[in-house]
Amino acid sequence: QVQLVESGGGLVQPGGSLRLSCAASGSTFSIYAMGWYRQAPGKQRELVATITSGGRTNYADSVKGRFTISRDNAKNTAYLQMNSLKPEDTAIYYCKARDWWGQGTQVTVSS
């Protein structure tokens, strides 16, 4: 029903920035809360940030003050702006809406 496609990952130096995008197909994007998750090799998948349909946001303590989640309902797209990146931010980043997941995009912050 909803397909999510992440983009914007890549390799970045510590202290650098990336903006991830999550493009959604489907006619009811605006009603879903959206979440960004990440998973590093050998680690549990963890919640990074969420944004409600009304625009209220929450962040993991580890990224608070550095990452910003946003959405553009007219474009059926959610974003994750990542600043001041650290090596420990290296992971595959996934977006989620309800029970639908994207395929993930790799973010690598060089040590």
Side-chain angles (χ1 to χ4, degrees):
Q1 185 173 346
V2 174
Q3 186 171 162
L4 307 172
V5 179
E6 302 95 334
S7 63
L11 175 65
V12 66
Q13 298 266 76
S17 297
L18 287 172
R19 189 182 74 160
L20 307 183
S21 298
C22 176
S25 63
S27 60
T28 56
F29 172 83
S30 64
I31 74 172
Y32 298 119
M34 301 293 297
W36 284 98
Y37 293 72
R38 67 187 182 187
Q39 187 167 23
K43 294 188 175 183
Q44 299 293 111
R45 187 171 297 186
E46 63 176 342
L47 180 65
V48 175
T50 60
I51 183 166
T52 69
S53 60
R56 184 169 296 277
T57 59
N58 284 300
Y59 299 91
D61 288 343
S62 59
V63 307
K64 193 169 295 183
R66 300 188 297 121
F67 290 11
T68 303
I69 188 171
S70 61
R71 67 192 298 158
D72 185 339
N73 289 339
K75 296 182 178 180
N76 286 0
T77 302
Y79 304 94
L80 185 68
Q81 178 67 47
M82 305 184 294
N83 298 326
S84 302
L85 282 161
K86 305 174 179 179
E88 52 262 46
D89 296 318
T90 296
I92 301 174
Y93 284 72
Y94 301 89
C95 63
K96 181 186 178 185
R98 291 290 185 178
D99 291 334
W100 298 285
W101 292 86
Q103 292 297 302
T105 185
Q106 177 71 49
V107 172
T108 302
V109 185
S110 63
S111 60

